[in-house]
């Protein structure tokens, strides 16, 4: 089969789409697959399942190990029986963490004080300290960030060098330090803690994101270098975690489903060690990471810039509140004698009352607003649904015409049908000479929107005149707006009289559209949306149907008794012309939907589930806007009034 250029283009785009989706799924699901394989491996190959101490070694080095993720990594590795070397800047904290680990897990500890922001001068000392330690696992966790998102030229130069020395220098130089020993022993693991910021440039945290991109590329390259030596190099790319590094944002520090604390994060992240080479370390972070990679990089960059602007705004607000608190503390310590705190009860109570009222109004106002906009519709019991029925080109037909003969003998009958049983019953009658059905799909959606049927026949005798004719046509119409229903469509012209008594040759044309005739409301079950329910085909003639059973009135009655809805033909206009061709042609022009689509509306009985979906679909957006406005108003009230509810005055002024 030859393909035309347009088809080749479609197939080409389809293959590109399949390739892109397959690559995205591989890139995002390979880590999950590796973890699943590692979990199942002990059941199929028990001898291959070894603890971390046997796979990598008995000592683990963790940098930045007195706070946040690094500290929790140290605890998790110690709980698995590894001795730990803690590397951080503050000796007091190192001693405290080392003592806590030893008392809790009965493992050996060693600590090394090192300030990575000082650059290359500290690494000679680190090498000497680590020479005597057979390092099995190195966790390059130490990292630094800007105090808050800001423009590059506003960040002090010293801070920028700290970011480079800590985020880039530490991971590079420490990896180089431990590699000779690992290669010699033929085992080991290097865990480099990166960040989700590696995915795209990050405005207002430009240098931080760039250093994490370095760690990402550095780690992936080292994986290839170290694989022949049996050394694992794992890249861990967390999203937001509630650590001190993110304390510029109250939103992040509040945590949540997608923002775990350091302990929860480290518990999941250490579980992946030895199971996968690249991970986000936490299940919800994996979801975020995968979704982010679906979005083009430039969009991620724009969104990142917007988020960082919001974080900067939060930081400024924190600073403003902090300055207010500091000022109050200065007032308290300014007087050598005790002070009196004057409480403005009325102001505070009024503000509290207003805030509570606003909170209640935030939920109530959207509901009443929605009720006024959609009066009588919000919780409606029934609903009209307008949809053009999808009619397939599968049809059955029957045509019968009665003609008066020139003599006084009985009239003759011409008939034709697609029903074999009917044809066998009427085989002695005159047949039609021509039957044409022309379907039209004007919008090329593989669904009919217009149909023309033409029946042609030659009168049995010269001078025969048309008396009346009967025609009906079955179509299969599918409606899928609420559920998938196959609605019977019965197009019929029942015993239509000839337009003139002397009609011997010419064309009679009918124009119209199909419309729904409904005797009961439809109920769409939520869990059976594609079930072809409610409808029956018992109306359809079969091999046992008698001639009386082919009467249009009989068929129409059967449709109405066995189906809650049926489509019928509504003739808008009829015109006719006489000619001298010697044949009679009856044309039926059927419009399906189009400008008359409102005639195909179906009445549904709305279920409780649909009512709830309908309500929340309208209410939720208004609620979000309402809560946002309420939050802004409450913030204004707090800053302008609530903070003034407490006044500090010298004690002596109370009695003056």
């Amino acid at each position: 089969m030859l393909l035309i250029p347009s088809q080749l283009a479609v197939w080409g785009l389809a293959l590109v789409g399949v390739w892109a989706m397959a690559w995205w799924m591989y890139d995002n699901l390979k880590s999950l697959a590796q973890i699943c394989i590692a979990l199942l491996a002990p059941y199929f190959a028990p001898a291959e399942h070894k603890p971390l101490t046997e796979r990598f070694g008995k000592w683990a080095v963790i940098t930045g190990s007195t706070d946040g993720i690094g500290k929790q990594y140290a605890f998790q590795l110690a709980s698995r029986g590894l001795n730990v070397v803690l590397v951080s800047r503050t000796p007091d904290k190192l001693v405290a963490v080392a003592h806590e680990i030893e008392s809790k897990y009965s493992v050996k500890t060693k600590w090394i004080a090192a300030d990575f922001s000082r650059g290359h001068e500290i690494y000679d000392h680190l090498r000497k300290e680590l020479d005597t330690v057979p390092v099995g696992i190195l966790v390059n966790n130490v990292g630094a960030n800007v105090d808050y998102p800001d423009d590059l030229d506003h960040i002090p130069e010293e801070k920028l060098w700290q970011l480079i020395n800590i985020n880039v220098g530490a991971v590079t130089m420490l990896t180089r330090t431990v590699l000779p020993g690992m290669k010699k022993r033929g085992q080991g693991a290097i865990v480099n803690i990166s960040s989700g910021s590696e995915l795209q440039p990050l405005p207002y945290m430009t240098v931080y994101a760039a250093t994490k991109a370095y760690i990402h590329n550095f780690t992936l390259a080292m994986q290839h270098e170290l694989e022949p030596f049996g050394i694992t190099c794992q890249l861990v790319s967390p999203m937001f975690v509630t650590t001190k590094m993110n304390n510029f944002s109250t939103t992040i520090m509040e945590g949540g489903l997608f923002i775990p604390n350091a302990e929860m994060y480290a518990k999941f992240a250490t579980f992946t060690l030895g199971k996968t080479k690249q991970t986000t370390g936490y299940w919800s972070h994996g979801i975020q990471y995968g979704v982010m990679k679906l979005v083009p990089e430039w969009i991620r960059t724009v969104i990142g810039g917007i988020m960082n602007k919001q974080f900067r705004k939060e930081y400024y607000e924190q600073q403003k509140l902090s300055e207010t608190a500091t000022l109050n503390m200065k007032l308290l310590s300014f007087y050598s004698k005790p002070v009196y705190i004057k409480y403005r009860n009325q102001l505070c109570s009024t503000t509290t009352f207003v805030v509570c009222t606003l909170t209640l109004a935030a939920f109530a106002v959207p509901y009443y607003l929605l009720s006024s906009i959609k009066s009588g519709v919000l919780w409606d019991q029934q609903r009209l649904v307008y949809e053009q029925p999808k009619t397939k080109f599968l049809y059955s037909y029957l045509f019968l015409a009665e003609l008066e003969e020139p003599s006084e003998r009985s009239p003759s009958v011409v008939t034709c049908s697609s029903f074999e049983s009917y044809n066998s019953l009427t085989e002695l009658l005159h047949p039609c000479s021509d039957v044409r059905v022309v379907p039209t799909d004007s919008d090329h959606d593989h669904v009919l929107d217009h149909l023309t049927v033409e029946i042609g026949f030659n009168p049995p005798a010269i001078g025969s005149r048309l008396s009346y004719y009967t025609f009906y046509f079955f179509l299969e119409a599918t409606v899928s707006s609420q559920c998938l229903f196959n609605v019977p469509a019965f197009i019929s012209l029942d015993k239509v009289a000839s337009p003139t008594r002397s009609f011997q040759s010419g064309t009679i044309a009918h124009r119209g559209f199909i419309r729904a005739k409904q005797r009961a409301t439809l109920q769409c079950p939520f869990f059976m949306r594609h079930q072809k329910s409610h409808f029956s085909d018992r109306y359809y003639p079969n091999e046992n149907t008698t001639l009386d059973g082919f009467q249009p009135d009989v068929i129409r009655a059967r449709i109405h008794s066995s189906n809650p809805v049926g489509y019928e033909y509504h003739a808008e206009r009829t015109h006719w012309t006489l000619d001298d061709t010697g044949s009679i042609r009856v044309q039926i022009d059927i419009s399906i939907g189009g400008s008359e689509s409102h005639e195909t509306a179906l009445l549904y009985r709305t279920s409780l589930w649909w009512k709830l979906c309908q309500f929340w679909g309208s209410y939720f957006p208004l609620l979000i806007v309402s809560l946002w406005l309420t939050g802004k108003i409450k913030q204004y009230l707090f800053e302008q009034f609530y903070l003034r509810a407490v006044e500090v005055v010298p004690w002596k002024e109370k009695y003056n």
Side-chain angles (χ1 to χ4, degrees):
M1 181 179 65
L2 294 176
L3 296 176
I4 61 175
S6 61
Q7 290 176 318
L8 286 172
V10 170
W11 276 102
L13 290 173
L15 289 173
V16 170
V18 170
W19 168 258
M21 181 55 68
W23 178 252
W24 179 87
M25 292 182 67
Y26 167 77
D27 199 32
N28 289 280
L29 298 180
K30 64 180 180 181
S31 177
L32 178 62
Q34 290 169 353
I35 292 173
C36 292
I37 292 171
L39 289 173
L40 295 174
Y43 298 99
F44 297 96
E48 298 296 324
H49 181 63
K50 298 178 181 178
L52 296 181
T53 51
E54 292 185 23
R55 288 189 62 183
F56 304 122
K58 296 182 179 181
W59 281 88
V61 177
I62 304 100
T63 62
S65 52
T66 55
D67 283 304
I69 294 175
K71 179 180 178 180
Q72 297 304 324
Y73 248 95
F75 275 84
Q76 291 298 323
L77 293 176
S79 70
R80 288 166 169 78
L82 279 91
N83 304 317
V84 293
V85 178
L86 308 175
V87 184
S88 191
R89 182 176 54 184
T90 311
D92 292 342
K93 288 185 177 181
L94 286 166
V95 171
V97 174
H99 177 72
E100 187 177 355
I101 290 175
E102 286 181 352
S103 60
K104 191 172 183 179
Y105 298 110
S106 300
V107 296
K108 297 178 182 179
T109 63
K110 176 183 175 69
W111 60 268
I112 305 171
D115 185 358
F116 290 98
S117 65
R118 292 164 58 186
H120 66 88
E121 64 185 64
I122 67 168
Y123 292 102
D124 287 338
H125 170 64
L126 281 172
R127 274 190 289 270
K128 291 177 183 178
E129 292 288 339
L130 294 175
D131 273 346
T132 58
V133 179
V135 180
I137 299 174
L138 168 64
V139 180
N140 281 313
N141 166 76
V142 67
N145 198 357
V146 291
D147 296 331
Y148 62 94
D150 205 355
D151 299 87
L152 180 64
D153 57 329
H154 294 171
I155 301 172
E157 184 177 339
E158 181 183 357
K159 185 66 178 179
L160 296 177
W161 278 114
Q162 288 179 5
L163 288 176
I164 295 170
N165 287 334
I166 296 173
N167 294 358
V168 176
V171 68
T172 307
M173 297 308 297
L174 277 176
T175 300
R176 185 178 185 277
T177 299
V178 302
L179 277 182
M182 288 184 176
K183 287 182 177 180
K184 184 177 180 180
R185 291 186 296 273
Q187 64 177 14
I190 298 172
V191 180
N192 292 332
I193 308 297
S194 180
S195 166
S197 305
E198 70 191 22
L199 274 174
Q200 69 285 309
L202 204 55
Y204 309 107
M205 292 178 67
T206 310
V207 178
Y208 175 77
T211 60
K212 295 303 178 180
Y214 170 85
I215 294 174
H216 175 270
N217 291 337
F218 173 80
T219 307
L220 296 186
M222 291 304 300
Q223 287 176 0
H224 289 274
E225 284 189 28
L226 300 178
E227 189 173 6
F229 299 95
I231 300 172
T232 297
C233 194
Q234 185 188 44
L235 175 66
V236 181
S237 305
M239 309 302 280
F240 288 126
V241 181
T242 55
T243 62
K244 290 182 179 179
M245 189 180 291
N246 295 318
N247 62 5
F248 52 76
S249 169
T250 54
T251 303
I252 297 175
M253 296 306 290
E254 286 175 359
L257 180 65
F258 291 95
I259 308 177
N261 57 36
E263 181 181 2
M264 182 64 70
Y265 178 82
K267 186 179 296 184
F268 276 84
T270 52
F271 171 76
T272 67
L273 180 56
K275 298 179 177 67
T276 179
K277 293 182 179 180
Q278 186 173 354
T279 178
T280 58
Y282 193 68
W283 66 270
S284 64
H285 289 189
I287 296 173
Q288 295 176 70
Y289 200 90
V291 172
M292 287 172 65
K293 291 180 75 173
L294 283 173
V295 182
E297 185 182 85
W298 70 269
I299 295 179
R300 298 199 303 264
T301 303
V302 171
I303 293 174
I306 294 172
M307 289 177 60
N308 281 336
K309 282 185 177 180
Q310 180 62 31
F311 293 152
R312 180 169 60 184
K313 183 179 178 182
E314 289 183 21
Y315 175 80
Y316 287 155
E317 290 173 352
Q318 288 183 61
Q319 292 299 107
K320 184 178 179 181
L321 292 175
S322 177
E323 289 172 2
T324 303
T326 303
L327 179 61
N328 289 339
M329 292 302 296
K330 287 181 179 179
L331 286 172
L332 287 170
S333 61
F334 181 77
Y335 300 97
S336 57
K337 294 183 179 181
V339 296
Y340 167 66
I341 299 178
K342 186 178 180 181
Y343 177 58
R344 299 178 181 176
N345 185 64
Q346 184 177 1
L347 178 60
C348 185
S349 300
T350 303
T351 306
T352 304
F353 173 76
V354 171
V355 168
C356 293
T357 304
L358 281 172
T359 304
L360 293 174
F363 290 90
V365 169
Y367 178 81
Y368 286 106
L369 181 63
L370 198 60
S371 299
S372 62
I373 295 173
K374 296 187 175 183
S375 179
V377 180
L378 193 59
W379 296 101
D380 58 347
Q381 296 294 320
Q382 296 178 331
R383 163 174 292 198
L384 272 176
V385 178
Y386 299 92
E387 185 191 59
Q388 177 178 340
K390 299 172 178 61
T391 308
K392 300 177 182 177
F393 188 51
L394 298 171
Y395 64 89
S396 300
Y397 68 91
L398 186 148
F399 177 81
L400 182 144
E402 184 176 307
L403 296 95
E404 295 180 4
E405 297 297 332
S407 60
E408 295 183 358
R409 60 181 180 175
S410 60
S412 59
V413 176
V414 176
T415 186
C416 52
S417 167
S418 61
F419 298 102
E420 292 295 332
S421 57
Y422 178 84
N423 292 336
S424 63
L425 294 171
T426 59
E427 58 184 355
L428 299 178
L429 300 178
H430 297 283
C432 304
S433 59
D434 184 30
V435 178
R436 289 195 303 164
V437 181
V438 181
T440 304
D441 178 14
S442 57
D443 50 5
H444 306 289
D445 60 351
H446 305 291
V447 175
L448 300 185
D449 44 33
H450 192 268
L451 196 65
T452 302
V453 184
E454 182 177 303
I455 310 291
F457 62 92
N458 297 318
I462 298 174
S464 297
R465 299 185 301 274
L466 181 65
S467 296
Y468 68 87
Y469 53 92
T470 295
F471 167 82
Y472 62 76
F473 200 83
F474 286 105
L475 284 173
E476 180 184 342
T478 302
V479 177
S480 59
S481 58
Q482 299 291 302
C483 283
L484 182 62
F485 294 143
N486 277 0
V487 183
F490 184 57
I491 291 93
S492 66
L493 298 171
D494 190 9
K495 209 166 185 178
V496 181
S498 172
T500 176
R501 287 183 57 84
S502 59
F503 197 92
Q504 299 180 9
S505 175
T507 301
I508 304 173
H510 296 267
R511 297 184 183 276
F513 56 89
I514 64 172
R515 63 181 177 184
K517 186 170 183 179
Q518 189 165 354
R519 66 177 181 84
T521 56
L522 298 176
Q523 176 69 46
C524 179
F526 176 70
F527 293 106
M528 300 173 66
R529 299 186 69 83
H530 298 293
Q531 182 71 26
K532 298 176 183 178
S533 55
H534 297 293
F535 293 89
S536 168
D537 59 356
R538 287 179 294 173
Y539 60 87
Y540 207 78
N542 54 46
E543 64 275 5
N544 299 320
T545 304
T546 63
L547 279 177
D548 289 338
F550 283 97
Q551 296 291 331
D553 288 341
V554 175
I555 294 174
R556 193 178 294 109
R558 286 205 297 262
I559 290 175
H560 292 168
S561 63
S562 59
N563 292 283
V565 177
Y567 287 121
E568 295 184 349
Y569 183 63
H570 175 71
E572 277 186 320
R573 181 177 49 168
T574 303
H575 68 274
W576 54 278
T577 57
L578 294 173
D579 56 36
D580 55 359
T581 59
S583 64
I584 297 175
R585 293 170 301 280
V586 178
Q587 290 181 351
I588 298 93
D589 189 87
I590 307 165
S591 294
I592 304 168
S595 60
E596 303 296 339
S597 60
H598 62 279
E599 294 286 347
T600 63
L602 298 182
L603 187 64
Y604 285 87
R605 185 168 66 255
T606 51
S607 62
L608 177 61
W609 174 260
W610 179 251
K611 291 176 188 176
L612 290 174
C613 291
Q614 171 186 312
F615 171 74
W616 278 105
S618 303
Y619 177 70
F620 189 71
L622 291 176
L623 179 63
I624 294 298
V625 175
S626 178
L627 290 175
W628 180 79
L629 289 173
T630 303
K632 293 296 182 182
I633 296 172
K634 287 194 294 185
Q635 182 179 352
Y636 174 79
L637 291 174
F638 179 79
E639 293 177 353
Q640 298 298 321
F641 298 100
Y642 200 80
L643 288 178
R644 292 189 294 164
V646 175
E647 182 181 5
V648 180
V649 297
W651 185 268
K652 60 183 180 180
E653 289 187 10
K654 178 183 178 183
Y655 302 101
N656 292 340

